[in-house]
Amino acid sequence: FFSPGMTALLTRSRAVLSVAGVDTLRFLNGLLAQDVAPLALAGAKPVYSAVLDARGRLAHDIFVHATSDNSVFVDCDRTHADSLLKEWTRRRLRMKLTIEDASDDVSVVARLPEGGDEDVSGDLPDDPRRIPELGRRGIVQNSSIVSADDHSDDVMARQYMLRRWELGVAEGGEEMQYGTSLPLEMNVAGLNGVSFTKGCYIGQELTARTHFRGVVRKRIMPFELLGEKGLPLAVGTTLRRAGEAVQSTRRSRSDGEIFAYDAEAKRGLALVRLKSVADGTNLEPFDKDQDVESAVGLCELRVTRPSWWPAEWGREDEEEPRWS
């Protein structure tokens, strides 16, 4: 589903903001779930993090790259870049910094392992999300990009997306469902995007409480469609354990929901109740507006536990909570 060594140009899905000024890191540390203070050090590596709303829901997933003293580039979802720019401008108050859209000058590129440097000038930093299979990811000047054509760029970006999905890594507002999802359900903490030792930030209370209680019952996971028949899959499709009879769909508890899907590859991402798939049972789609058993056996989804997951994920209910 991907070409090792390819360089993907992510201009259709990601935008870049520039934040510059003496208060840049202090400003960002009050807004981001991860500590960005290390960006002040020479040769600092990029930081992956999230912006949460006041309820602790995910509002943006971002990558922060130091560019020079008191200046950073922020890799963010293109569709939500304007709202992030407006929100940060509103919160800037009297801090000494500027926030601008830099997408006309720079772009986000990603390169899977074993790649060369033929498509960009200079080396890209390692992707900060802790998974070596994600390769490298960085921000480069648009003038340095050698692009074959729009179609080739789209093909490589799609292949990179499918590789992310295979690893169970969601990205952007559509896949992460900004405004409703929790950062721990989207595995942001496991991907090095949350610090539980830094100072306060917006949305911290719910995230910290959930983490220290030690139980996350649902997480984003990769799946593969088995078979051709059944209900058309789409974002928002409800899932349940395959073949299980229920008395009433209206009273039954969902075991998952599709968050992203590619019909050609027959792969996607779903937010899954971990206890429901702990024994290896597949999931199947069902429609609450149809007869309860109408979809049983027509198609199944095989959910995969990513190899990079910590051993304790999905087994928290077997242990005593850390505190209550």
Side-chain angles (χ1 to χ4, degrees), residues 199-211:
C200 296
Y201 58 90
I202 295 173
Q204 178 187 32
E205 182 179 357
L206 176 62
T207 303
R209 185 169 67 244
T210 303
H211 169 73

mmCIF file with all atom_site columns, all heavy atoms in Angstrom, residues 199-211:
data_model
loop_
_atom_site.group_PDB
_atom_site.id
_atom_site.type_symbol
_atom_site.label_atom_id
_atom_site.label_alt_id
_atom_site.label_comp_id
_atom_site.label_asym_id
_atom_site.label_entity_id
_atom_site.label_seq_id
_atom_site.pdbx_PDB_ins_code
_atom_site.Cartn_x
_atom_site.Cartn_y
_atom_site.Cartn_z
_atom_site.occupancy
_atom_site.B_iso_or_equiv
_atom_site.pdbx_formal_charge
_atom_site.auth_seq_id
_atom_site.auth_comp_id
_atom_site.auth_asym_id
_atom_site.auth_atom_id
_atom_site.pdbx_PDB_model_num
ATOM 1   N N   . GLY A 1 199 ? 3.502   22.516 32.789 1.00 0.00 ? 199 GLY A N   1
ATOM 2   C CA  . GLY A 1 199 ? 2.535   23.406 33.410 1.00 0.00 ? 199 GLY A CA  1
ATOM 3   C C   . GLY A 1 199 ? 1.166   23.315 32.763 1.00 0.00 ? 199 GLY A C   1
ATOM 4   O O   . GLY A 1 199 ? 0.928   22.502 31.861 1.00 0.00 ? 199 GLY A O   1
ATOM 5   N N   . CYS A 1 200 ? 0.265   24.162 33.221 1.00 0.00 ? 200 CYS A N   1
ATOM 6   C CA  . CYS A 1 200 ? -1.124  24.114 32.781 1.00 0.00 ? 200 CYS A CA  1
ATOM 7   C C   . CYS A 1 200 ? -1.293  24.510 31.318 1.00 0.00 ? 200 CYS A C   1
ATOM 8   O O   . CYS A 1 200 ? -0.516  25.292 30.778 1.00 0.00 ? 200 CYS A O   1
ATOM 9   C CB  . CYS A 1 200 ? -1.971  25.046 33.644 1.00 0.00 ? 200 CYS A CB  1
ATOM 10  S SG  . CYS A 1 200 ? -2.036  24.568 35.380 1.00 0.00 ? 200 CYS A SG  1
ATOM 11  N N   . TYR A 1 201 ? -2.316  23.940 30.688 1.00 0.00 ? 201 TYR A N   1
ATOM 12  C CA  . TYR A 1 201 ? -2.702  24.308 29.332 1.00 0.00 ? 201 TYR A CA  1
ATOM 13  C C   . TYR A 1 201 ? -4.206  24.081 29.203 1.00 0.00 ? 201 TYR A C   1
ATOM 14  O O   . TYR A 1 201 ? -4.825  23.386 30.033 1.00 0.00 ? 201 TYR A O   1
ATOM 15  C CB  . TYR A 1 201 ? -1.939  23.478 28.288 1.00 0.00 ? 201 TYR A CB  1
ATOM 16  C CG  . TYR A 1 201 ? -2.123  21.985 28.417 1.00 0.00 ? 201 TYR A CG  1
ATOM 17  C CD1 . TYR A 1 201 ? -3.151  21.319 27.755 1.00 0.00 ? 201 TYR A CD1 1
ATOM 18  C CD2 . TYR A 1 201 ? -1.258  21.228 29.217 1.00 0.00 ? 201 TYR A CD2 1
ATOM 19  C CE1 . TYR A 1 201 ? -3.324  19.950 27.881 1.00 0.00 ? 201 TYR A CE1 1
ATOM 20  C CE2 . TYR A 1 201 ? -1.426  19.856 29.342 1.00 0.00 ? 201 TYR A CE2 1
ATOM 21  C CZ  . TYR A 1 201 ? -2.458  19.220 28.683 1.00 0.00 ? 201 TYR A CZ  1
ATOM 22  O OH  . TYR A 1 201 ? -2.626  17.872 28.815 1.00 0.00 ? 201 TYR A OH  1
ATOM 23  N N   . ILE A 1 202 ? -4.810  24.647 28.206 1.00 0.00 ? 202 ILE A N   1
ATOM 24  C CA  . ILE A 1 202 ? -6.254  24.535 28.017 1.00 0.00 ? 202 ILE A CA  1
ATOM 25  C C   . ILE A 1 202 ? -6.638  23.071 27.798 1.00 0.00 ? 202 ILE A C   1
ATOM 26  O O   . ILE A 1 202 ? -6.039  22.376 26.983 1.00 0.00 ? 202 ILE A O   1
ATOM 27  C CB  . ILE A 1 202 ? -6.705  25.390 26.822 1.00 0.00 ? 202 ILE A CB  1
ATOM 28  C CG1 . ILE A 1 202 ? -6.456  26.874 27.125 1.00 0.00 ? 202 ILE A CG1 1
ATOM 29  C CG2 . ILE A 1 202 ? -8.185  25.152 26.488 1.00 0.00 ? 202 ILE A CG2 1
ATOM 30  C CD1 . ILE A 1 202 ? -6.721  27.784 25.949 1.00 0.00 ? 202 ILE A CD1 1
ATOM 31  N N   . GLY A 1 203 ? -7.645  22.602 28.532 1.00 0.00 ? 203 GLY A N   1
ATOM 32  C CA  . GLY A 1 203 ? -8.129  21.234 28.386 1.00 0.00 ? 203 GLY A CA  1
ATOM 33  C C   . GLY A 1 203 ? -7.357  20.201 29.176 1.00 0.00 ? 203 GLY A C   1
ATOM 34  O O   . GLY A 1 203 ? -7.593  18.999 29.022 1.00 0.00 ? 203 GLY A O   1
ATOM 35  N N   . GLN A 1 204 ? -6.453  20.644 30.048 1.00 0.00 ? 204 GLN A N   1
ATOM 36  C CA  . GLN A 1 204 ? -5.568  19.715 30.752 1.00 0.00 ? 204 GLN A CA  1
ATOM 37  C C   . GLN A 1 204 ? -6.298  18.817 31.744 1.00 0.00 ? 204 GLN A C   1
ATOM 38  O O   . GLN A 1 204 ? -5.962  17.631 31.882 1.00 0.00 ? 204 GLN A O   1
ATOM 39  C CB  . GLN A 1 204 ? -4.490  20.494 31.495 1.00 0.00 ? 204 GLN A CB  1
ATOM 40  C CG  . GLN A 1 204 ? -3.524  19.630 32.301 1.00 0.00 ? 204 GLN A CG  1
ATOM 41  C CD  . GLN A 1 204 ? -2.582  20.461 33.153 1.00 0.00 ? 204 GLN A CD  1
ATOM 42  O OE1 . GLN A 1 204 ? -2.950  21.534 33.613 1.00 0.00 ? 204 GLN A OE1 1
ATOM 43  N NE2 . GLN A 1 204 ? -1.373  19.978 33.348 1.00 0.00 ? 204 GLN A NE2 1
ATOM 44  N N   . GLU A 1 205 ? -7.312  19.332 32.417 1.00 0.00 ? 205 GLU A N   1
ATOM 45  C CA  . GLU A 1 205 ? -7.908  18.623 33.548 1.00 0.00 ? 205 GLU A CA  1
ATOM 46  C C   . GLU A 1 205 ? -8.444  17.239 33.169 1.00 0.00 ? 205 GLU A C   1
ATOM 47  O O   . GLU A 1 205 ? -8.099  16.232 33.787 1.00 0.00 ? 205 GLU A O   1
ATOM 48  C CB  . GLU A 1 205 ? -9.031  19.459 34.167 1.00 0.00 ? 205 GLU A CB  1
ATOM 49  C CG  . GLU A 1 205 ? -9.670  18.799 35.383 1.00 0.00 ? 205 GLU A CG  1
ATOM 50  C CD  . GLU A 1 205 ? -10.766 19.646 36.008 1.00 0.00 ? 205 GLU A CD  1
ATOM 51  O OE1 . GLU A 1 205 ? -10.993 20.779 35.528 1.00 0.00 ? 205 GLU A OE1 1
ATOM 52  O OE2 . GLU A 1 205 ? -11.403 19.156 36.954 1.00 0.00 ? 205 GLU A OE2 1
ATOM 53  N N   . LEU A 1 206 ? -9.281  17.167 32.127 1.00 0.00 ? 206 LEU A N   1
ATOM 54  C CA  . LEU A 1 206 ? -9.853  15.886 31.735 1.00 0.00 ? 206 LEU A CA  1
ATOM 55  C C   . LEU A 1 206 ? -8.783  14.924 31.237 1.00 0.00 ? 206 LEU A C   1
ATOM 56  O O   . LEU A 1 206 ? -8.808  13.728 31.549 1.00 0.00 ? 206 LEU A O   1
ATOM 57  C CB  . LEU A 1 206 ? -10.920 16.094 30.656 1.00 0.00 ? 206 LEU A CB  1
ATOM 58  C CG  . LEU A 1 206 ? -11.548 14.817 30.085 1.00 0.00 ? 206 LEU A CG  1
ATOM 59  C CD1 . LEU A 1 206 ? -12.262 14.043 31.194 1.00 0.00 ? 206 LEU A CD1 1
ATOM 60  C CD2 . LEU A 1 206 ? -12.523 15.163 28.957 1.00 0.00 ? 206 LEU A CD2 1
ATOM 61  N N   . THR A 1 207 ? -7.822  15.439 30.478 1.00 0.00 ? 207 THR A N   1
ATOM 62  C CA  . THR A 1 207 ? -6.754  14.593 29.939 1.00 0.00 ? 207 THR A CA  1
ATOM 63  C C   . THR A 1 207 ? -5.919  13.985 31.060 1.00 0.00 ? 207 THR A C   1
ATOM 64  O O   . THR A 1 207 ? -5.636  12.781 31.058 1.00 0.00 ? 207 THR A O   1
ATOM 65  C CB  . THR A 1 207 ? -5.851  15.407 29.000 1.00 0.00 ? 207 THR A CB  1
ATOM 66  O OG1 . THR A 1 207 ? -6.651  15.987 27.962 1.00 0.00 ? 207 THR A OG1 1
ATOM 67  C CG2 . THR A 1 207 ? -4.775  14.534 28.379 1.00 0.00 ? 207 THR A CG2 1
ATOM 68  N N   . ALA A 1 208 ? -5.528  14.805 32.020 1.00 0.00 ? 208 ALA A N   1
ATOM 69  C CA  . ALA A 1 208 ? -4.716  14.308 33.134 1.00 0.00 ? 208 ALA A CA  1
ATOM 70  C C   . ALA A 1 208 ? -5.505  13.334 33.999 1.00 0.00 ? 208 ALA A C   1
ATOM 71  O O   . ALA A 1 208 ? -4.973  12.283 34.413 1.00 0.00 ? 208 ALA A O   1
ATOM 72  C CB  . ALA A 1 208 ? -4.228  15.486 33.974 1.00 0.00 ? 208 ALA A CB  1
ATOM 73  N N   . ARG A 1 209 ? -6.768  13.650 34.276 1.00 0.00 ? 209 ARG A N   1
ATOM 74  C CA  . ARG A 1 209 ? -7.574  12.758 35.111 1.00 0.00 ? 209 ARG A CA  1
ATOM 75  C C   . ARG A 1 209 ? -7.747  11.386 34.467 1.00 0.00 ? 209 ARG A C   1
ATOM 76  O O   . ARG A 1 209 ? -7.618  10.345 35.123 1.00 0.00 ? 209 ARG A O   1
ATOM 77  C CB  . ARG A 1 209 ? -8.945  13.400 35.375 1.00 0.00 ? 209 ARG A CB  1
ATOM 78  C CG  . ARG A 1 209 ? -9.806  12.592 36.345 1.00 0.00 ? 209 ARG A CG  1
ATOM 79  C CD  . ARG A 1 209 ? -11.028 13.382 36.799 1.00 0.00 ? 209 ARG A CD  1
ATOM 80  N NE  . ARG A 1 209 ? -11.955 13.620 35.703 1.00 0.00 ? 209 ARG A NE  1
ATOM 81  C CZ  . ARG A 1 209 ? -12.251 14.814 35.226 1.00 0.00 ? 209 ARG A CZ  1
ATOM 82  N NH1 . ARG A 1 209 ? -11.656 15.896 35.738 1.00 0.00 ? 209 ARG A NH1 1
ATOM 83  N NH2 . ARG A 1 209 ? -13.124 14.954 34.253 1.00 0.00 ? 209 ARG A NH2 1
ATOM 84  N N   . THR A 1 210 ? -8.024  11.370 33.158 1.00 0.00 ? 210 THR A N   1
ATOM 85  C CA  . THR A 1 210 ? -8.186  10.103 32.448 1.00 0.00 ? 210 THR A CA  1
ATOM 86  C C   . THR A 1 210 ? -6.890  9.302  32.458 1.00 0.00 ? 210 THR A C   1
ATOM 87  O O   . THR A 1 210 ? -6.890  8.086  32.667 1.00 0.00 ? 210 THR A O   1
ATOM 88  C CB  . THR A 1 210 ? -8.623  10.354 30.992 1.00 0.00 ? 210 THR A CB  1
ATOM 89  O OG1 . THR A 1 210 ? -9.838  11.117 30.979 1.00 0.00 ? 210 THR A OG1 1
ATOM 90  C CG2 . THR A 1 210 ? -8.848  9.049  30.259 1.00 0.00 ? 210 THR A CG2 1
ATOM 91  N N   . HIS A 1 211 ? -5.778  9.991  32.232 1.00 0.00 ? 211 HIS A N   1
ATOM 92  C CA  . HIS A 1 211 ? -4.477  9.315  32.207 1.00 0.00 ? 211 HIS A CA  1
ATOM 93  C C   . HIS A 1 211 ? -4.148  8.694  33.554 1.00 0.00 ? 211 HIS A C   1
ATOM 94  O O   . HIS A 1 211 ? -3.748  7.510  33.626 1.00 0.00 ? 211 HIS A O   1
ATOM 95  C CB  . HIS A 1 211 ? -3.383  10.314 31.818 1.00 0.00 ? 211 HIS A CB  1
ATOM 96  C CG  . HIS A 1 211 ? -1.990  9.795  32.009 1.00 0.00 ? 211 HIS A CG  1
ATOM 97  N ND1 . HIS A 1 211 ? -1.425  8.850  31.188 1.00 0.00 ? 211 HIS A ND1 1
ATOM 98  C CD2 . HIS A 1 211 ? -1.048  10.087 32.955 1.00 0.00 ? 211 HIS A CD2 1
ATOM 99  C CE1 . HIS A 1 211 ? -0.201  8.582  31.592 1.00 0.00 ? 211 HIS A CE1 1
ATOM 100 N NE2 . HIS A 1 211 ? 0.054   9.317  32.659 1.00 0.00 ? 211 HIS A NE2 1
#
